[in-house]
Amino acid sequence: MELRELGRIDGAGHQPRICLGKASDKLASVCLTAPDKSGDVKEQSLQILNIIDDYFQSVGASRKDILMVQVWLFDISEYDAFCELWNDWIDPEGVPALSVVTGHAARRDCAVEIRAYAAC
């Protein structure tokens, strides 16, 4: 089984070494924050979801193949805004399991972090 990587952060100082995502011939996984953290929760979420979409397409999956998504919101009062964006973005024919919780990221400018798994 070959594992393919999506991006790597090699860490420096107190930063961890991480891979942003991996895929095998059957399963792909990615966990991201927005590259541009200047926007609100909807803007950051859309950036992340579009990267997830591109990554999954590159390994032969689509939005319909997403199995599960975990979302961490810095401010849970942004839940409605996230859900509005999510419902517009996700394929209504392939709705995955979704978990949305509140949590603080290591970087305070992160409004949201999203982890997604898809079948390839």
Side-chain angles (χ1 to χ4, degrees):
M1 171 177 63
E2 176 187 344
L3 290 177
R4 294 164 280 173
E5 287 189 0
L6 167 69
R8 176 185 286 266
I9 298 174
D10 287 323
H14 298 288
Q15 299 299 314
R17 289 183 179 98
I18 61 171
C19 178
L20 301 175
K22 285 198 174 185
S24 69
D25 57 342
K26 296 183 182 184
L27 183 68
S29 152
V30 65
C31 187
L32 303 167
T33 60
D36 177 2
K37 294 172 180 56
S38 64
D40 64 15
V41 71
K42 286 178 91 170
E43 292 165 340
Q44 288 190 31
S45 296
L46 186 58
Q47 287 180 58
I48 297 166
L49 292 171
N50 287 334
I51 293 168
I52 289 170
D53 200 21
D54 290 345
Y55 173 60
F56 285 164
Q57 286 181 10
S58 77
V59 296
S62 71
R63 291 181 192 177
K64 283 185 180 182
D65 300 311
I66 297 174
L67 304 169
M68 180 177 78
V69 175
Q70 297 167 301
V71 178
W72 293 270
L73 296 176
F74 178 79
D75 182 353
I76 199 65
S77 71
E78 299 286 354
Y79 177 77
D80 291 343
F82 173 80
C83 287
E84 181 181 338
L85 173 71
W86 172 261
N87 288 339
D88 288 341
W89 183 84
I90 197 63
D91 186 319
E93 299 298 319
V95 178
L98 175 68
S99 172
V100 181
V101 298
T102 188
H104 296 280
R107 290 185 50 164
R108 296 294 177 222
D109 55 353
C110 292
V112 60
E113 184 169 344
I114 301 175
R115 176 185 305 270
Y117 300 88
C120 296

